[in-house]
Short mmCIF file of all heavy atoms in Angstrom, two decimals:
data_model
loop_
_atom_site.label_atom_id
_atom_site.label_comp_id
_atom_site.label_asym_id
_atom_site.label_seq_id
_atom_site.Cartn_x
_atom_site.Cartn_y
_atom_site.Cartn_z
N LEU A 6 177.79 -36.58 249.50
CA LEU A 6 177.91 -35.97 250.81
C LEU A 6 178.88 -36.72 251.68
O LEU A 6 178.82 -37.92 251.84
CB LEU A 6 176.52 -35.90 251.46
CG LEU A 6 175.48 -35.27 250.54
CD1 LEU A 6 174.17 -35.15 251.24
CD2 LEU A 6 175.94 -33.92 250.04
N ALA A 7 179.80 -35.99 252.30
CA ALA A 7 181.01 -36.59 252.85
C ALA A 7 180.84 -37.25 254.20
O ALA A 7 181.39 -38.30 254.44
CB ALA A 7 182.10 -35.53 252.96
N ALA A 8 180.12 -36.65 255.10
CA ALA A 8 180.10 -37.19 256.46
C ALA A 8 178.80 -37.91 256.71
O ALA A 8 178.61 -39.01 256.23
CB ALA A 8 180.31 -36.05 257.45
N SER A 9 177.89 -37.30 257.48
CA SER A 9 176.66 -38.00 257.82
C SER A 9 175.84 -38.34 256.60
O SER A 9 175.14 -39.34 256.57
CB SER A 9 175.81 -37.13 258.76
OG SER A 9 175.47 -35.92 258.13
N VAL A 10 175.88 -37.50 255.57
CA VAL A 10 175.04 -37.71 254.41
C VAL A 10 175.54 -38.86 253.55
O VAL A 10 174.77 -39.57 252.94
CB VAL A 10 174.95 -36.42 253.58
CG1 VAL A 10 173.95 -36.57 252.45
CG2 VAL A 10 174.55 -35.26 254.48
N THR A 11 176.87 -39.07 253.48
CA THR A 11 177.41 -40.14 252.68
C THR A 11 176.84 -41.48 253.09
O THR A 11 176.65 -42.36 252.26
CB THR A 11 178.94 -40.19 252.80
OG1 THR A 11 179.47 -38.95 252.36
CG2 THR A 11 179.53 -41.29 251.94
N ALA A 12 176.54 -41.62 254.36
CA ALA A 12 176.05 -42.91 254.85
C ALA A 12 174.64 -43.22 254.41
O ALA A 12 174.14 -44.30 254.65
CB ALA A 12 176.09 -42.92 256.38
N CYS A 13 173.99 -42.30 253.73
CA CYS A 13 172.59 -42.50 253.39
C CYS A 13 172.37 -43.61 252.38
O CYS A 13 171.30 -44.17 252.31
CB CYS A 13 171.99 -41.20 252.82
SG CYS A 13 171.78 -39.91 254.05
N GLY A 14 173.34 -43.89 251.53
CA GLY A 14 173.16 -44.94 250.54
C GLY A 14 172.58 -44.43 249.26
O GLY A 14 172.60 -43.24 248.97
N ASN A 15 171.95 -45.32 248.46
CA ASN A 15 171.54 -44.99 247.10
C ASN A 15 170.06 -45.18 246.92
O ASN A 15 169.60 -45.45 245.83
CB ASN A 15 172.32 -45.87 246.10
CG ASN A 15 172.19 -45.38 244.67
OD1 ASN A 15 171.90 -44.22 244.43
ND2 ASN A 15 172.40 -46.28 243.73
N SER A 16 169.26 -45.03 248.00
CA SER A 16 167.85 -45.32 247.92
C SER A 16 167.06 -44.29 247.15
O SER A 16 165.90 -44.51 246.85
CB SER A 16 167.26 -45.46 249.32
OG SER A 16 167.86 -46.52 250.00
N ASN A 17 167.65 -43.15 246.80
CA ASN A 17 166.93 -42.14 246.05
C ASN A 17 166.86 -42.43 244.57
O ASN A 17 166.22 -41.72 243.81
CB ASN A 17 167.59 -40.77 246.24
CG ASN A 17 167.22 -40.16 247.57
OD1 ASN A 17 166.11 -40.34 248.04
ND2 ASN A 17 168.14 -39.45 248.18
N ALA A 18 167.56 -43.48 244.14
CA ALA A 18 167.60 -43.78 242.71
C ALA A 18 166.18 -43.91 242.18
O ALA A 18 165.35 -44.62 242.70
CB ALA A 18 168.39 -45.07 242.48
N GLY A 19 165.92 -43.20 241.08
CA GLY A 19 164.62 -43.29 240.46
C GLY A 19 163.60 -42.33 241.05
O GLY A 19 162.48 -42.26 240.59
N SER A 20 163.91 -41.58 242.08
CA SER A 20 162.97 -40.65 242.67
C SER A 20 162.94 -39.37 241.84
O SER A 20 163.71 -39.19 240.92
CB SER A 20 163.37 -40.32 244.11
OG SER A 20 164.48 -39.45 244.12
N VAL A 21 162.02 -38.44 242.21
CA VAL A 21 161.87 -37.20 241.45
C VAL A 21 162.80 -36.12 241.98
O VAL A 21 162.78 -35.01 241.48
CB VAL A 21 160.41 -36.70 241.51
CG1 VAL A 21 159.49 -37.69 240.83
CG2 VAL A 21 159.95 -36.47 242.95
N TYR A 22 163.60 -36.43 242.97
CA TYR A 22 164.50 -35.43 243.54
C TYR A 22 165.48 -34.95 242.48
O TYR A 22 166.04 -35.73 241.71
CB TYR A 22 165.26 -36.02 244.72
CG TYR A 22 166.25 -35.04 245.33
CD1 TYR A 22 165.81 -33.98 246.10
CD2 TYR A 22 167.62 -35.18 245.10
CE1 TYR A 22 166.69 -33.08 246.65
CE2 TYR A 22 168.52 -34.28 245.66
CZ TYR A 22 168.05 -33.23 246.42
OH TYR A 22 168.93 -32.33 246.95
N ASN A 23 165.70 -33.62 242.44
CA ASN A 23 166.62 -33.03 241.48
C ASN A 23 168.00 -32.88 242.12
O ASN A 23 168.25 -31.95 242.87
CB ASN A 23 166.09 -31.67 241.01
CG ASN A 23 166.95 -31.05 239.93
OD1 ASN A 23 168.05 -31.53 239.62
ND2 ASN A 23 166.47 -29.97 239.34
N TYR A 24 168.88 -33.81 241.83
CA TYR A 24 170.21 -33.81 242.44
C TYR A 24 171.03 -32.59 242.05
O TYR A 24 171.92 -32.17 242.78
CB TYR A 24 170.98 -35.07 242.00
CG TYR A 24 170.41 -36.36 242.52
CD1 TYR A 24 169.35 -36.98 241.88
CD2 TYR A 24 170.93 -36.96 243.65
CE1 TYR A 24 168.83 -38.16 242.35
CE2 TYR A 24 170.42 -38.15 244.13
CZ TYR A 24 169.37 -38.75 243.48
OH TYR A 24 168.85 -39.92 243.95
N SER A 25 170.76 -32.04 240.88
CA SER A 25 171.57 -30.94 240.36
C SER A 25 171.01 -29.57 240.73
O SER A 25 171.62 -28.56 240.39
CB SER A 25 171.70 -31.05 238.84
OG SER A 25 172.50 -32.17 238.50
N ASN A 26 169.87 -29.54 241.41
CA ASN A 26 169.29 -28.26 241.80
C ASN A 26 170.23 -27.52 242.75
O ASN A 26 170.67 -28.05 243.76
CB ASN A 26 167.94 -28.49 242.49
CG ASN A 26 167.20 -27.20 242.76
OD1 ASN A 26 167.22 -26.29 241.93
ND2 ASN A 26 166.54 -27.13 243.90
N GLY A 27 170.57 -26.26 242.39
CA GLY A 27 171.48 -25.46 243.21
C GLY A 27 172.91 -25.51 242.75
O GLY A 27 173.78 -24.87 243.35
N LEU A 28 173.18 -26.27 241.67
CA LEU A 28 174.53 -26.35 241.10
C LEU A 28 174.55 -25.72 239.72
O LEU A 28 173.57 -25.81 238.98
CB LEU A 28 174.98 -27.82 241.00
CG LEU A 28 174.98 -28.64 242.29
CD1 LEU A 28 175.39 -30.07 241.99
CD2 LEU A 28 175.89 -28.02 243.34
N ASP A 29 175.68 -25.09 239.37
CA ASP A 29 175.78 -24.50 238.04
C ASP A 29 176.32 -25.52 237.05
O ASP A 29 176.52 -26.70 237.38
CB ASP A 29 176.61 -23.21 238.06
CG ASP A 29 178.08 -23.46 238.40
OD1 ASP A 29 178.55 -24.62 238.29
OD2 ASP A 29 178.77 -22.49 238.78
N GLU A 30 176.61 -25.07 235.83
CA GLU A 30 177.00 -25.99 234.77
C GLU A 30 178.34 -26.68 235.03
O GLU A 30 178.65 -27.71 234.43
CB GLU A 30 177.05 -25.25 233.44
CG GLU A 30 178.05 -24.12 233.41
CD GLU A 30 178.08 -23.38 232.08
OE1 GLU A 30 177.19 -23.65 231.25
OE2 GLU A 30 178.98 -22.56 231.88
N ASN A 31 179.14 -26.12 235.94
CA ASN A 31 180.42 -26.73 236.28
C ASN A 31 180.34 -27.64 237.50
O ASN A 31 181.34 -28.26 237.89
CB ASN A 31 181.47 -25.64 236.56
CG ASN A 31 181.89 -24.90 235.30
OD1 ASN A 31 182.13 -25.52 234.28
ND2 ASN A 31 181.95 -23.58 235.39
N GLY A 32 179.13 -27.73 238.10
CA GLY A 32 179.01 -28.51 239.31
C GLY A 32 179.35 -27.71 240.55
O GLY A 32 179.49 -28.26 241.64
N PHE A 33 179.51 -26.39 240.40
CA PHE A 33 179.77 -25.50 241.54
C PHE A 33 178.44 -25.01 242.10
O PHE A 33 177.42 -25.01 241.41
CB PHE A 33 180.61 -24.29 241.11
CG PHE A 33 181.97 -24.63 240.59
CD1 PHE A 33 182.71 -23.67 239.90
CD2 PHE A 33 182.54 -25.88 240.78
CE1 PHE A 33 183.98 -23.96 239.42
CE2 PHE A 33 183.81 -26.18 240.30
CZ PHE A 33 184.54 -25.22 239.62
N PHE A 34 178.47 -24.55 243.35
CA PHE A 34 177.25 -23.99 243.93
C PHE A 34 176.90 -22.69 243.22
O PHE A 34 177.75 -21.80 243.05
CB PHE A 34 177.44 -23.76 245.43
CG PHE A 34 177.58 -25.04 246.21
CD1 PHE A 34 178.80 -25.40 246.76
CD2 PHE A 34 176.50 -25.89 246.37
CE1 PHE A 34 178.94 -26.58 247.47
CE2 PHE A 34 176.63 -27.08 247.08
CZ PHE A 34 177.85 -27.43 247.62
N GLU A 35 175.64 -22.58 242.83
CA GLU A 35 175.18 -21.43 242.06
C GLU A 35 175.39 -20.12 242.81
O GLU A 35 175.04 -20.01 243.99
CB GLU A 35 173.70 -21.58 241.71
CG GLU A 35 173.42 -22.57 240.59
CD GLU A 35 171.94 -22.64 240.25
OE1 GLU A 35 171.12 -22.22 241.10
OE2 GLU A 35 171.60 -23.12 239.16
N GLY A 36 175.97 -19.13 242.09
CA GLY A 36 176.11 -17.79 242.64
C GLY A 36 177.15 -17.65 243.73
O GLY A 36 177.18 -16.63 244.42
#
C-alpha cells in the first residue's frame, strides 16, 4: 500500500489475514 497504508509496517507477518483475497492469478483486482 502506497500512501498511508505503506507506513503500517510488517506486523501482520504470521497472522491469518489473507493478503491475496480479492486478487486474481495475475495479481490484478478480481473482476
Side-chain angles (χ1 to χ4, degrees):
L6 309 183
S9 61
V10 186
T11 301
C13 289
N15 193 23
S16 297
N17 281 326
S20 75
V21 296
Y22 178 74
N23 184 351
Y24 293 83
S25 291
N26 188 38
L28 303 177
D29 66 18
E30 61 181 9
N31 289 316
F33 297 166
F34 293 109
E35 283 182 341

